[in-house]
Amino acid sequence: EGWHIPSENEWKSLIDFVGGNEIAANKLKDNSSEYWKNNLNSTDNSSLFTALPGGSRTSFGNDYGYETEAYFWSSTETIRNHAYHLYLKSGDSLAFVLGHQDSKRFGYSIRCLKD
């Protein structure tokens, strides 16, 4: 109670707030090489978001992207039982909010916002 999963627009607002798609991942990812494999030296976590590369679990139960990718669900749904998510990748400064090909049966991380 008192918390919610961010919407697509809230994720996009966060990306804009930290400087836009081109540099947002560097501002959002934990800057320790202990977690992110092959991460860029320019990652500074200046937003204090401290995203960790939890990867995902596919709808078939397979792990994917551990140590190299972070996926965070949004509350915004698309057609065909899919939902938008925030996506960060190791070695890349780009951050995206995507809304395709992601069945809600996939296992992504959840980051809640205080109401």
Side-chain angles (χ1 to χ4, degrees):
E1 193 171 316
W3 295 82
H4 69 277
I5 297 170
S7 68
E8 169 200 9
N9 287 334
E10 287 172 314
W11 281 129
K12 287 180 178 179
S13 292
L14 174 63
I15 288 172
D16 289 344
F17 180 77
V18 297
N21 286 78
E22 297 294 318
I23 62 168
N26 288 341
K27 308 291 182 187
L28 297 171
K29 290 188 287 188
D30 179 87
N31 59 347
S32 168
S33 60
E34 178 180 355
Y35 303 110
W36 286 93
K37 184 177 180 181
N38 303 322
N39 205 22
L40 296 173
N41 292 333
S42 58
T43 298
D44 64 15
N45 191 32
S46 60
S47 68
L48 303 178
F49 186 81
T50 316
L52 297 174
S56 68
R57 182 172 287 285
T58 70
S59 59
F60 298 108
N62 302 319
D63 292 330
Y64 178 80
Y66 178 71
E67 295 184 327
T68 60
E69 298 182 12
Y71 301 83
F72 295 93
W73 279 122
S74 86
S75 60
T76 307
E77 293 189 31
T78 66
I79 58 172
R80 298 187 204 157
N81 203 33
H82 295 150
Y84 285 87
H85 68 275
L86 173 67
Y87 173 70
L88 308 171
K89 184 175 181 174
S90 184
D92 198 337
S93 62
L94 299 173
F96 298 100
V97 177
L98 303 172
H100 57 85
Q101 300 176 345
D102 296 313
S103 167
K104 289 191 292 183
R105 296 182 348 177
F106 277 57
Y108 290 171
S109 299
I110 298 286
R111 188 71 170 254
C112 294
L113 287 178
K114 191 165 178 69
D115 293 338

